[in-house]
Amino acid sequence: TLSMFGAFCGVASSLFVAMNAIYTSRCLPCVDNNVWRLCLYNNFNACILFIPLMLIFGETPIVLSYPKIFNLTFWFAMTMAGLLGFSMGYVTGYQIQMTSPLTHNVSGTAKSYAQTLIAVVAYTETKTSLWWISNLFVLGGSGLFAHVRATEMKQNHNASKNSDTIPTASLPK
């Protein structure tokens, strides 16, 4: 069923993802367009902010009383999660740098659709026709966006190949 709170959370989530992509593209020139440096700064800032937020929200006693705090398996899993998170941040920054915030959002939407479809098939869930139609619209829109972008890039490539000067511009945004 559709709820107003669920719809609000979905729209807010999309808004924050889009704002993060826009902010990332605006911050890249501040670090000489170096995605590694941007990831390093983001993670360093998160580490610094993490401790005061733990203190403010009273999470420190909960963390310290966690029974597996000194378990090597726990720290291995936490380290792997950290490495995967860092990798995702790098890939996100690199995709935004090479394309645009809009392209990043569209590819993220297509990825979410694919994950949802895999989950529905894997768990043999039954969905309504309207659910399938709405998801096909998302996939179709993502596919059309990719087609238009590919056509634009091909035209720009052919135009730069046919010109007498060496192109100085980067890939089209």
Side-chain angles (χ1 to χ4, degrees), residues 14-31:
S14 296
L15 177 69
F16 285 119
V17 168
M19 294 299 290
N20 180 58
I22 292 167
Y23 187 71
T24 298
S25 71
R26 288 190 179 180
C27 287
L28 275 169
C30 299
V31 291

Side-chain angles (χ1 to χ4, degrees), residues 2 9 22 33-35 52 55 77-78 83 93 98 105 109 111 118 123 134 148 159 162-163 165 167-169:
L2 178 67
C9 288
I22 292 167
N33 289 319
N34 187 329
V35 179
L55 294 171
M78 293 296 287
L83 289 172
M98 290 294 117
N105 285 344
T109 301
K111 175 195 65 86
I118 289 169
Y123 291 106
S134 64
V148 167
N162 293 336
S163 69
T165 61
T168 58

Side-chain angles (χ1 to χ4, degrees), residues 11 15 27 42 57 70 82 92 112 127 132 137 147 151 154 159 164 171:
V11 170
L15 177 69
C27 287
N42 281 341
F57 291 106
F70 297 110
T92 296
S112 296
K127 296 292 182 183
W132 286 102
F137 270 107
H147 174 71
T151 303
K154 193 176 205 178
D164 294 330
L171 291 174

